[in-house]
């Protein structure tokens, strides 16, 4: 081989390497905004520390960076000469891509990855058109490559686009295997009724069968005279008929629902469950569970205590950080509730502030599980539970919501309802449930006026104590007139709060002096939850005293008590 051939071989090798690096840089740059779009819910924390709109600007910077890298990759592929200044800019652009992916890494955890998957499945056809069509029309025909290479590229692109578009289409089609997505959970919804709630992975009619007084009964999930159709099913049954009784849940797949007629498919059944008869237990053991924030693994090691010892489970909100669709309601709330109850311990539902953070209309979550309102009363034996839906405790909008919520009219509705309730007899264990006790904090008008009305009624309501969540710790407050004279226990926690996952943890900026933006990244992006933080407490309620028992991850108990 002569010198010229050697030079040509080296040039060809460098060209191959250059094409590879240009295409790789383009892929990294293009994928960054796509993933960021799915993770954008986390970047609102950056906005709080920097300025409103920073995360949106960052997203558009990623888009611009992606388009630039696509242009460079196209120029390299068609053998256009690249000036040295453009090469320098491309290196800076690559560092920007690395920075963008570093931010994506900070935001990522299991549930966020799931969110990216869900959102990208919706927008993928548009992304494929946005990036694929220009390449196929403008770049591919101008590539100076052999016919064999062109055919290989065409085959790869065909497999990629047809395959990914097919996967996207399949994700939108009902699953081939019809099955239960969540096993039954029994909620006491007041009015002397239970709501047996379970879920399927496709639209279905649902019903529950049980035997009462020797008669086999079949009760359907019903909505205004029609058998309800959906994935989450709530079957309402008189409490006295289900207490201490066996029941089985069933679902029949709906293949087609037309204005006239329709088509039904396969019917599936759960195993038979036996619900504990604990309505009239004098000293019930009550598990208060809240704030597990996606972490279903937190529930496994304490579920045996709940199923064996508990007579009632209070689900006190914040079962996920957010909900993108109905499937996440099923996975993080209903499946978590079943882990604790096994379908055999009744529960009471309280909505948390994170149950309003979603694309899916979680405001309807109470209706999905059989409630008419998410503020209501439940009487079980000598215990009266008054449930308030504090949701977001602030009177106006929170910075996370950016103009989507106005809680004051809703609080006014609840206060008016509360003022109309009769004062319970002093012999009753009078228990208030709410997720965020901060509802009663001092606020500007008109929320402050509502809080004062609430306190006025509460002071005359003979309240014994309250169970709340939200703050990720466990303690009992002594009676305080400022808190309208009731005892309070919060969600029991071991090392509650958050673990911060930052650039400093990755030692990429070890010793770096942080400016305002880096300060936000390093210290204020709360995205990883402490896996050792438990929000579970076991409460024994008696006529003379209430005993609070905290359960930690080792199964150890700690308890306090007060005399009524």
């Amino acid at each position: 081989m002569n010198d010229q051939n050697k030079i040509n071989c080296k040039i060809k090798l460098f060209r191959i390497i250059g094409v590879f690096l240009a295409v790789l840089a383009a892929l990294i740059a293009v994928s960054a905004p796509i993933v960021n779009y799915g993770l954008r819910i986390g970047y609102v924390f950056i906005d709080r520390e920097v300025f409103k709109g920073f995360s949106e600007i960052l997203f558009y910077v990623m888009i611009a960076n992606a388009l630039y890298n696509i242009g460079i990759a196209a120029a390299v592929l068609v053998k256009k000469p690249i000036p040295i200044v453009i090469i320098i800019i491309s290196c800076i652009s690559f560092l920007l891509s690395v920075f963008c992916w570093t931010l994506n890494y900070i935001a990522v955890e299991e549930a966020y990855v799931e969110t990216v998957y869900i959102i990208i499945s919706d927008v993928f056809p548009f992304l494929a058109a946005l990036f694929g069509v220009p390449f196929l029309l403008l770049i591919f025909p101008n590539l100076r490559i052999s016919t064999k290479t062109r055919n290989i590229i065409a085959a790869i692109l065909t497999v990629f686009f047809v395959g990914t578009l097919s996967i996207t289409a399949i994700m939108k089609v009902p699953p081939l295997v019809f099955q239960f997505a969540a096993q039954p959970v029994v909620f006491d919804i007041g009015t002397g009724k239970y709501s047996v709630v379970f879920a399927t992975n496709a639209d279905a009619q649902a019903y529950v069968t049980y035997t009462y007084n020797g008669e086999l009964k079949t009760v359907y999930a019903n909505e205004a005279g029609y058998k309800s159709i959906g994935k989450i099913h709530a079957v309402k049954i008189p409490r006295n008929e289900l207490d201490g009784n066996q029941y089985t849940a069933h679902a029949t797949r709906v293949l087609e629902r037309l204005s006239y007629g329709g088509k039904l498919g396969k019917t599936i059944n759960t195993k038979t469950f036996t619900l504990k008869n604990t309505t009239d237990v004098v000293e019930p053991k009550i598990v208060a569970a809240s704030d597990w924030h996606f972490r279903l693994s937190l529930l496994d090691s304490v579920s045996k205590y709940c199923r064996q010892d508990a007579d009632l489970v209070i689900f006190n909100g914040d079962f996920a950080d957010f909900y993108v669709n109905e499937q996440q309601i099923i996975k993080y709330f209903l499946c978590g509730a079943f882990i604790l109850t096994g379908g055999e311990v009744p529960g009471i539902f309280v909505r948390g502030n994170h149950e309003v953070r979603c694309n899916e209309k979680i405001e309807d979550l109470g209706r999905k599980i059989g409630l008419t309102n998410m503020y209501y009363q439940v009487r079980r034996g000598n215990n009266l539970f008054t449930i308030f839906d504090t949701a977001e405790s602030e009177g106006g909008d929170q910075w996370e919501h950016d103009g989507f919520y106005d809680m004051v009219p809703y609080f006014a509705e609840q206060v008016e309802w509360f003022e109309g309730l009769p004062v319970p007899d002093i012999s009753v264990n009078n228990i208030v449930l709410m997720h965020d006790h901060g509802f009663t904090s001092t606020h500007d008008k008109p929320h402050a006026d509502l809080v004062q009305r609430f306190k006025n009624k509460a002071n005359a309501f003979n309240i014994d104590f309250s169970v709340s969540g939200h703050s990720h710790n466990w303690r009992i407050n002594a009676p305080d007139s400022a808190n309208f004279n009731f005892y309070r226990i919060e969600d029991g926690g071991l090392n509650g709060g958050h673990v911060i996952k930052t650039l400093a943890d990755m030692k990429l900026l070890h010793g770096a002096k942080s400016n305002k933006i880096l300060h936000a990244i390093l210290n204020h992006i709360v995205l990883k939850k402490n896996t050792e933080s438990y929000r579970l407490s076991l409460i024994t309620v008696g006529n003379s005293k209430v005993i609070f028992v905290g359960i930690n991850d080792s199964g150890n108990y700690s308890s306090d008590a007060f005399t009524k």
Side-chain angles (χ1 to χ4, degrees):
M1 181 181 294
N2 57 38
D3 292 340
Q4 185 61 43
N5 287 338
K6 289 181 179 179
I7 292 173
N8 290 338
C9 287
K10 289 182 179 179
I11 292 174
K12 186 174 182 179
L13 176 62
F14 286 136
R15 171 168 170 72
I16 292 173
I17 294 173
V19 169
F20 173 78
L21 292 177
V23 172
L24 178 62
L27 289 174
I28 293 173
V30 167
S31 58
I34 295 174
V35 173
N36 173 272
Y37 184 76
L39 295 173
R40 69 193 187 284
I41 189 169
Y43 289 103
V44 69
F45 292 97
I46 297 179
D47 282 11
R48 179 175 63 174
E49 299 303 326
V50 186
F51 59 84
K52 184 177 179 180
F54 174 78
S55 60
E56 187 174 0
I57 293 173
L58 185 65
F59 174 70
Y60 289 123
V61 167
M62 291 184 185
I63 291 287
N65 186 54
L67 293 175
Y68 172 81
N69 278 273
I70 289 173
I72 295 299
V76 172
L77 286 169
V78 297
K79 298 183 178 179
K80 295 288 185 182
I82 308 296
I84 186 66
V85 66
I86 298 299
I87 294 176
I88 294 173
I89 294 174
S90 297
C91 292
I92 297 173
S93 175
F94 178 75
L95 293 176
L96 178 61
S97 297
V98 172
F99 173 74
C100 293
W101 264 106
T102 301
L103 290 179
N104 288 342
Y105 172 80
I106 292 172
V108 133
E109 61 175 299
E110 179 185 356
Y112 284 73
V113 172
E114 181 181 283
T115 302
V116 173
Y117 177 79
I118 292 168
I119 292 177
I120 289 180
S121 70
D122 291 330
V123 302
F124 183 82
F126 303 101
L127 294 172
L130 176 64
F131 295 110
V133 172
F135 175 81
L136 293 174
L137 293 180
L138 303 176
I139 299 174
F140 187 63
N142 296 313
L143 292 178
R144 298 175 185 177
I145 53 179
S146 66
T147 302
K148 181 178 180 181
T149 303
R150 187 179 298 276
N151 290 338
I152 292 173
I153 294 176
I156 293 173
L157 290 175
T158 300
V159 171
F160 175 76
F161 283 109
V162 172
T164 50
L165 287 172
S166 298
I167 292 172
T168 302
I170 290 172
M171 289 172 62
K172 302 302 178 185
V173 175
L176 298 176
V177 179
F178 180 50
Q179 60 190 11
F180 288 102
Q183 293 291 311
V185 180
V186 180
F187 294 96
D188 194 328
I189 58 173
T191 67
K193 287 189 176 181
Y194 284 129
S195 180
V196 181
V197 183
F198 51 100
T200 50
N201 65 343
D203 285 345
Q205 296 176 352
Y207 59 98
V208 170
T209 57
Y210 62 98
T211 301
Y212 180 68
N213 287 340
E215 177 186 355
L216 179 62
K217 293 200 170 188
T218 300
V219 181
Y220 275 85
N222 187 290
E223 186 176 358
Y226 284 83
K227 296 174 182 177
S228 302
I229 297 174
K231 295 183 177 69
I232 297 178
H233 315 286
V235 181
K236 298 179 183 179
I237 299 174
R239 192 166 65 184
N240 66 302
E241 294 187 6
L242 205 58
D243 269 336
N245 207 346
Q246 293 184 332
Y247 71 93
T248 306
H250 313 262
T252 301
R253 186 172 188 176
V254 175
L255 298 174
E256 195 174 37
R257 175 72 171 96
L258 305 172
S259 298
Y260 295 91
K263 186 176 181 182
L264 298 176
K266 179 182 179 181
T267 297
I268 55 177
N269 317 302
T270 66
K271 74 172 189 177
T272 298
F273 298 91
T274 302
L275 184 69
K276 287 185 177 181
N277 185 1
T278 61
T279 298
D280 297 318
V281 173
V282 176
E283 295 187 5
K285 293 180 179 178
I286 305 171
V287 171
S290 70
D291 299 87
W292 58 72
H293 290 279
F294 290 130
R295 303 288 187 179
L296 297 182
S297 59
L298 294 179
L299 309 179
D300 291 332
S301 62
V302 295
S303 62
K304 61 181 179 180
Y305 297 106
C306 302
R307 295 187 185 187
Q308 294 172 3
D309 297 344
D311 300 306
L312 180 71
V313 177
I314 298 170
F315 297 103
N316 219 342
D318 283 8
F319 316 110
D321 285 356
F322 55 83
Y323 303 82
V324 175
N325 61 7
E326 193 175 49
Q327 281 67 39
Q328 290 190 315
I329 302 173
I330 294 169
K331 179 177 179 180
Y332 295 112
F333 172 46
L334 291 180
C335 289
F338 179 77
I339 290 172
L340 294 179
T341 66
E344 298 183 344
V345 181
I348 294 177
F349 172 79
V350 184
R351 184 172 73 157
N353 60 298
H354 283 271
E355 273 67 63
V356 301
R357 302 170 190 238
C358 54
N359 292 340
E360 179 73 16
K361 194 178 179 186
I362 301 298
E363 287 81 351
D364 290 336
L365 181 55
R367 198 153 40 245
K368 290 178 185 291
I369 64 173
L371 292 167
T372 303
N373 291 308
M374 284 183 283
Y375 53 92
Y376 58 107
Q377 277 191 318
V378 173
R379 177 71 182 262
R380 296 182 63 82
N382 199 45
N383 302 300
L384 177 66
F385 300 91
T386 303
I387 298 98
F388 293 97
D389 182 19
T390 54
E392 297 289 2
S393 64
E394 284 71 11
D397 238 355
Q398 282 192 299
W399 56 270
E400 298 102 318
H401 294 311
D402 199 20
F404 286 96
Y405 290 93
D406 179 14
M407 301 306 297
V408 170
Y410 186 48
F411 291 153
E413 182 182 310
Q414 294 185 65
V415 170
E416 184 176 350
W417 166 77
F418 186 36
E419 289 174 332
L421 293 177
V423 176
D425 185 88
I426 194 170
S427 63
V428 173
N429 284 315
N430 191 4
I431 306 166
V432 165
L433 307 179
M434 63 176 69
H435 173 74
D436 185 0
H437 191 271
F439 162 77
T440 62
S441 301
T442 302
H443 295 276
D444 295 334
K445 287 179 173 287
H447 190 185
D449 295 335
L450 291 173
V451 170
Q452 189 56 53
R453 287 171 56 189
F454 183 89
K455 289 183 177 182
N456 292 341
K457 175 66 176 182
N459 284 329
F461 203 63
N462 297 329
I463 296 174
D464 293 307
F465 67 96
S466 171
V467 181
S468 61
H470 190 62
S471 56
H472 297 201
N473 59 23
W474 180 61
R475 66 178 182 269
I476 304 170
N477 288 347
D480 183 346
S481 58
N483 287 328
F484 45 86
N485 295 321
F486 66 79
Y487 288 90
R488 173 185 173 203
I489 177 174
E490 294 183 335
D491 45 343
L494 175 66
N495 300 323
H498 302 84
V499 169
I500 311 302
K501 179 183 179 185
T502 67
L503 293 175
D505 296 326
M506 295 180 285
K507 298 181 180 180
L508 294 179
L509 292 178
H510 184 67
K513 293 182 179 180
S514 60
N515 57 26
K516 191 173 184 181
I517 294 177
L518 286 179
H519 179 71
I521 296 170
L522 292 171
N523 299 307
H524 291 281
I525 304 174
V526 182
L527 293 167
K528 281 281 186 181
K529 299 297 178 292
N530 189 336
T531 56
E532 294 184 356
S533 181
Y534 277 79
R535 294 88 174 177
L536 296 169
S537 302
L538 192 63
I539 310 169
T540 300
V541 180
N543 288 325
S544 60
K545 65 180 180 179
V546 178
I547 302 174
F548 304 90
V549 184
I551 307 173
N552 64 25
D553 59 339
S554 301
N556 298 321
Y557 291 91
S558 61
S559 63
D560 294 282
F562 72 84
T563 301
K564 180 177 175 180

